[in-house]
Amino acid sequence: RDFENKDKILLYGVWKGDNRNLRFINTSDNTIQEITAPYGRLEKITFTPVYAGDSNYKFVGWGTIETYDYKHPENYQGTIYTLGQLYEIGSNPKPAETYDVLYSLWTPETYSITYYLQGGELAVAAGQDVYDKGYVYKEKVTLYSEATKVGYRFMGWGTSITASTPT
């Protein structure tokens, strides 16, 4: 270039982001899916993992930290990206590596058990004839045993309205 005929020359840096890999690690089976994109690019999160071996878990999102306590999601120390959100390549690098990592985060499904009291009462549901209680998949379920009904002895819970013995 000829710079001799100018009083002041302005030069600007021209940059192109290095390619980086973004790894999606499915924490249920440690499979990896990877994309490559230039550093700094915003990539839409579109990869949906499948929980390996069990369909009773639902996908929460992709997290920057692997450890996730579904009982206390408010304590999660990372960032969670849901499907459709944008992720900036290079914003969560593994130390001393040339790739970013996002981990699949899961929570077990919850189920409801409906207690039909048939004229009886539960202390937790005073005055109600029907009581719903939520339970978490794979956690121990303790059925209510303190049901009362005047003139009757509680035998347990049955799975039909005509049950004469507990199930």
Side-chain angles (χ1 to χ4, degrees):
R1 303 243 178 224
D2 181 12
F3 296 116
E4 295 178 25
N5 297 332
K6 300 215 175 203
D7 292 338
K8 186 175 183 180
I9 298 170
L10 301 176
L11 298 176
Y12 298 91
V14 178
W15 303 95
K16 179 182 177 191
D18 291 334
N19 279 343
R20 290 183 65 84
N21 293 331
L22 170 57
R23 292 183 179 174
F24 295 90
I25 299 179
N26 184 338
T27 56
S28 73
D29 63 4
N30 290 318
T31 56
I32 297 173
Q33 179 154 337
E34 194 168 82
I35 63 170
T36 301
Y39 187 92
R41 177 192 275 174
L42 294 175
E43 284 289 325
K44 186 181 264 190
I45 303 294
T46 59
F47 179 58
T48 304
V50 174
Y51 196 86
D54 198 331
S55 64
N56 292 299
Y57 289 84
K58 63 183 171 186
F59 178 60
V60 173
W62 292 102
T64 54
I65 298 172
E66 184 175 5
T67 306
Y68 178 74
D69 179 1
Y70 69 88
K71 291 180 181 179
H72 301 284
E74 70 279 3
N75 294 336
Y76 185 67
Q77 298 295 310
T79 302
I80 298 174
Y81 294 90
T82 56
L83 296 177
Q85 273 191 294
L86 295 176
Y87 174 82
E88 183 179 356
I89 301 296
S91 64
N92 186 44
K94 289 289 277 182
E97 300 293 345
T98 58
Y99 59 88
D100 293 8
V101 175
L102 293 177
Y103 301 94
S104 62
L105 306 178
W106 304 94
T107 188
E109 294 283 358
T110 56
Y111 297 93
S112 177
I113 293 178
T114 302
Y115 296 88
Y116 291 95
L117 301 171
Q118 314 232 86
E121 280 200 17
L122 283 174
V124 297
Q128 299 177 42
D129 195 43
V130 177
Y131 178 68
D132 285 316
K133 170 81 169 120
Y135 295 93
V136 176
Y137 177 69
K138 283 202 174 177
E139 288 190 1
K140 183 179 179 181
V141 172
T142 302
L143 298 177
Y144 289 103
S145 60
E146 74 278 0
T148 59
K149 184 175 181 179
V150 175
Y152 292 86
R153 182 169 41 99
F154 182 66
M155 302 293 293
W157 299 102
T159 55
S160 78
I161 196 166
T162 59
S164 58
T165 58
T167 304

